[in-house]
Amino acid sequence: MQVRVQTEPFDAGAELNAFTAATSGAGAVVSFSGIVRDVDGGLQEMEIEHYPGMTEKAIAKITEEAVTRWSLVDALVIHRHGTLHVGTPIMMVATAAPHRVDAFAAAEFLMDYLKSRAPFWKKELTASGADWVAARDEDEDALRRW
Amino acid sequence: MIDVMYFAWVRERIGVPSERIETSAPTVAALVDELKAREERYAAAFEDVSALRVALDQELTDFDASLEGVREVAFFPPMTGG
């Protein structure tokens, strides 16, 4: 299990290849990457603030739960903070399991929990100013299915 | 003494990322009432606590949680990771 919280960009393809190569006994690897999306009016940049210490602990706890619940062979979470630009990766998760059903479910679980339970806050900067991204009710509701 | 931290728009409204506070508030809610009574910027930040989340020693909890033995309190809006 690997959890990385960093400011630097990363190469999701290279990370996935390295993760897969290091995984033995898995028949399925699922990955998800989140990318900085443009917004109406044009996104100049995205600022992601986080809570150092709590962030790492919260992600480790969520990841450990996923590994146990779906008997994962391995899991990877990378999440950036700081200043990000359109089209660059924000975060990725990868899960490795004997079978695909568990790898998919664990990746979705990780994503749902990272959205609403990992202490990150996004701020979008456009020509009209800077705005904190509001949490969506659907994201909170998504946790109930687990 | 307790370390109080603020993140995102809560930090911007209060104007500092963290501060050390002398308090005998028994619960988070009581600490919030103390802070609100201090200055307008706190009253503005804590106007609607249903829009806020709180962590004690880096674990999410509720506003009625006890502060006994707690070293670090953090207030922030709902998280927007992922």
Side-chain angles (χ1 to χ4, degrees), chain A residues 93-115:
Chain A
V93 303
T95 55
H99 303 288
R100 75 174 189 280
V101 173
D102 289 331
F104 271 116
E108 285 219 77
F109 166 88
L110 280 172
M111 284 312 307
D112 284 348
Y113 270 83
L114 287 169
K115 271 226 165 283

Side-chain angles (χ1 to χ4, degrees), chain B:
Chain B
M1 295 296 261
I2 201 162
D3 286 318
V4 185
M5 308 176 75
Y6 311 106
F7 292 95
W9 60 257
V10 183
R11 170 180 55 71
E12 291 179 341
R13 245 171 244 190
I14 291 175
V16 292
S18 66
E19 56 191 330
R20 187 157 282 188
I21 286 176
E22 181 73 60
T23 179
S24 52
T27 63
V28 175
L31 173 64
V32 168
D33 287 341
E34 258 185 43
L35 291 170
K36 282 169 81 174
R38 273 186 166 193
E39 279 178 59
E40 178 50 36
R41 59 195 169 105
Y42 292 97
F46 291 109
E47 190 183 3
D48 175 15
V49 290
S50 72
L52 296 180
R53 300 288 179 268
V54 59
L56 298 183
D57 290 331
Q58 306 191 351
E59 292 274 353
L60 272 181
T61 185
D62 300 312
F63 281 79
D64 55 9
S66 166
L67 290 181
E68 197 181 337
V70 169
R71 285 167 304 172
E72 189 173 294
V73 182
F75 294 104
F76 41 79
M79 294 157 272
T80 51

Side-chain angles (χ1 to χ4, degrees), chain A residues 83-98:
Chain A
T83 304
L84 282 70
H85 299 282
V86 173
T88 60
I90 301 175
M91 52 85 59
M92 76 176 282
V93 303
T95 55

Side-chain angles (χ1 to χ4, degrees), chain A residues 49 51 120-123 132, chain B residues 8 11-12 58 72 77 80 82:
Chain A
E49 182 169 333
Y51 183 171
F120 290 100
W121 300 275
K122 295 190 182 112
K123 191 181 205 178
W132 290 101
Chain B
R11 170 180 55 71
E12 291 179 341
Q58 306 191 351
E72 189 173 294
T80 51

